[in-house]
Amino acid sequence: MKSALRYACVAKCSTTKARVSKIQLPHFTAETPMFMPVGTQGTMKGLTTKQLEDLECQVILGNTYHLGNRPGQELLDEVGGLHKFMKWNRGLLTDSGGFQMVSLLHLAEITEEGVQFQNPYDKSLMLLTPEESMSLQNSIGADIMMQLDDVVSSLVTGARLEEAMHRSIRWLDRCIKAHKNPETQNLFAIIQGGLEPELRKHCIKEMVARDLPGYAIGGLSGGEEKDQFWRIVSLCTDYLPDNKPRYCMGVGYAEDLVVCSALGVDMYDCVFPTRTARFGNALLDSGSMNLKNARYAEDFQPIDPECPCMTCKNYTRSYLHSIVTKETVGCHLLSIHNIAYQMQLMKRVRQSIVDDRFPDFLKEFMYTRYNKAGKYPEWIVNALKSVNVELTELVDSN
C-alpha cells in the first residue's frame, strides 16, 4: 500500500528492544518514543494549540466518532480539514471510532456491516462502517488514520474474542479499499487477539501482509493483569516489522511508557495527563502529587523545581492548592505541567537510548518511582528482566 510516512531508526539500545526513530509525516517529523496527548473533539481540554507547541507536543489525537457526530463537522471539508480548523500545524492522528464499542457498549450494536451507535447529540442512530470511518478520517485530514476494528474488552475470552480478531482483519481490507488519500494520509492497522498469543500472532501475520505504513497494538489497558499486559506487548513487538512504527494504544502512566519503550514500542496515547489534572493531580517521577491535600497549603515550592513548564516557573504548590478545586485555571495550570512532564519524560527516554545508557535510566527512574526502596512491582521486574535489565541492582543514591 502507498505510504505518506517515512520511518528511519536513529539509535537502538544495545541491551533492550528500545529504539529512537524519526517518523516523517505530511505535517511534521516526529521523534519516537513519543507520547501523544488526546484532544477528543479537536481540542485539548484547557489548552490552546500554541501552548501545545510550546510544550513540544509532536502529534495529538482526535476521535472520529465524536468529530463525526458533533454539530459543525461538515465545516471540516469547507476549511480544509481539522489541522486548519483548530490551527494545528503538527502531527494529527485520528482513532477510528472503534474504541466506543467498549466505552459506549450500552449504545452500540455490532454486526458484520459495522457498529450502530446512538448519536449523543440528537439521539438518532448512526451506523459506523469501515467505509464511513475512512470517509470521516479522510475529511478530517489526519496524518495517521486508524482502521475500524472490532474492539472487545481485554478480559473477553473464547469465541467472541476470536470473532473480533478475524472481523478486524476483514474490516481492515474494507478500510484499505475505502481509503481515498494514501498519498497524503497513513492508515495504521490495529492488532487484536486479546491475551491469546496465538490469536495475536495470526492477526499480526495477516495484517503485516497488507504492508501498511504502521501498526498498533490494540485491545489492552482494559483491566487485564499487568503481567499479562507486558507479555502481549513484547510478543507483538517481536513479530511486528522493524521498519514500521509500533503504537501501543491507550497507554499513559509513566511506568508503562518507560517499560513499553524497553519492549520496543514507539508511540503512545492516553487522556490520563489532562484527566488527572482535573482531579488536582500533578505528575512527577515519584508519582502523583494531589494538590488538594492540605499539606500543600503552605508549601511555596514549585511542583517540580526541575520542570521547565510555565506552571512550575511561576506558581507554587500553595497557590495551586488554593485554586485547584475552586477555579478552572487550576486545571489549566496542572494540565500544562502534566503534558510537559510526559513530553520531558519521553525526551529523557530518547536521549538515554541515543547515549546507550537506557538500562541505567530504567534503574534510576524505577528507583525514584518506588520511593528508593528497591521494592518494585513484580510485573515490572519480569518485563525488564525479559530485555536483560535486572532491577535488583539498586542505583547508588550518591
Side-chain angles (χ1 to χ4, degrees), residues 308-373:
C309 82
M310 181 271 285
T311 302
C312 288
K313 284 183 176 179
N314 293 284
Y315 301 100
T316 66
R317 298 174 185 179
S318 176
Y319 174 72
L320 294 167
H321 167 77
S322 72
I323 65 169
V324 76
T325 59
K326 303 170 187 175
E327 304 288 344
T328 56
V329 72
C331 171
H332 170 76
L333 293 172
L334 288 187
S335 294
I336 287 174
H337 168 77
N338 286 353
I339 291 179
Y341 172 78
Q342 301 286 84
M343 296 303 112
Q344 292 299 315
L345 173 63
M346 301 317 293
K347 190 183 229 181
R348 287 185 286 149
V349 167
R350 292 194 296 270
Q351 191 60 52
S352 69
I353 297 168
V354 168
D355 295 340
D356 204 15
R357 59 171 304 275
F358 186 51
D360 288 338
F361 173 87
L362 288 167
K363 294 174 185 177
E364 292 162 5
F365 177 83
M366 294 302 174
Y367 191 57
T368 301
R369 191 76 172 170
Y370 293 99
N371 202 28
K372 303 182 179 180

Side-chain angles (χ1 to χ4, degrees), residues 174-194:
R174 289 168 61 185
C175 287
I176 292 170
K177 187 176 180 180
H179 181 16
K180 302 302 183 187
N181 302 322
E183 297 86 0
T184 56
Q185 292 179 280
N186 299 283
L187 174 60
F188 278 28
I190 304 176
I191 307 301
Q192 292 292 347

